[in-house]
Amino acid sequence: MNPEGLDLSIIAPAFAAGALVLATHVPLGAQVLKRGIVFIDLAIAQIAALGVIIAGMAELEAGWIVQLAAASAAVLGALLLTWTERRWPEVQEAQIGVVFVLAATGSLLLLAHNPHGGEHLRDLLAGQILWVRFDQLLLPAIATIVIGFLAFRFEGRLPRVAFYLLFALAVTISVQLVGVYLVFASLIVPALAVRNYPAGRRIAIAFAVGIAGYALGLVLSLVYDLPSGALIVWCLAALAMLVHACGPRAGVAR
């Protein structure tokens, strides 16, 4: 595509979807790093995707039913991880990894005989963010406001089970908008970028990293005709490394 003829209105809904994802994932990402459960996002996102696959196999095609299936699966996964953390806290990260692998391989097994299974799985993982429409964002926007308020209002003070459930609902909304890979990147990459910055500036800078990463990735994907989700992940990572390199050294942040 010729950059001079680039129509930014094409990526406006996708950018809005990315902003909604960042609104919940940036504050939750800080909590995930603090709690030392980095891969919970991948696990819960994969479980939500598994719920979408099960709904599709049952020919439940209504949007709200698919959303309910994904949310139910994610909440069950969150409750399971809450129980494992309480029962075996010393190996929680390993348990999260096992849950992720089981959900991922379960998706492969369920789609094994589906002629379009590979394409469907790829869409769930890498996402189809460029195909998002503004009319799909109303309910996610309302949910994002509620989740974002709770995440900021009770920052660091949510009980274990409440945090996992809130996290599950946020991921359920995000995974159907942007895919599993972008959900994980949106949660972890900005949080990693600002971990050495003063506490009062981390959230704002992390948001800036996320917004810039989505904007740059979407524009470049149109210019070079590359997969949007994958390119946004790389843009987020590149910007995060730059911001981290320009920031204070470990132990300097206050």
Side-chain angles (χ1 to χ4, degrees), residues 2 25 27 37 51 55 59 76 95 107 112-113 128 130 134 136-137 143 148 168-169 187 189-190 216 228 231 234 247:
N2 183 356
H25 280 46
I37 48 174
E59 299 183 355
L76 288 174
Q95 293 170 141
S107 299
H113 298 296
Q128 290 289 315
L130 273 183
F134 277 122
Q136 294 177 259
L137 300 181
L169 294 176
L187 181 91
V189 174
L216 183 60
S228 300
L231 195 52
W234 278 84

Side-chain angles (χ1 to χ4, degrees), residues 104-180:
T105 53
S107 299
L108 290 174
L109 292 172
L110 290 176
L111 292 173
H113 298 296
N114 186 326
H116 303 291
E119 181 181 351
H120 187 39
L121 187 60
R122 183 190 63 204
D123 289 346
L124 285 171
L125 293 174
Q128 290 289 315
I129 189 172
L130 273 183
W131 295 102
V132 172
R133 306 183 311 273
F134 277 122
D135 62 333
Q136 294 177 259
L137 300 181
L138 178 58
L139 288 179
I142 295 172
T144 295
I145 292 171
V146 175
I147 293 170
F149 170 78
L150 293 174
F152 278 110
R153 177 69 177 80
F154 299 101
E155 181 181 1
R157 293 182 286 117
L158 283 172
R160 181 189 293 110
V161 65
F163 174 78
Y164 275 120
L165 291 176
L166 190 68
F167 191 88
L169 294 176
V171 168
T172 298
I173 296 166
S174 303
V175 76
Q176 294 183 72
L177 290 176
V178 301
V180 173

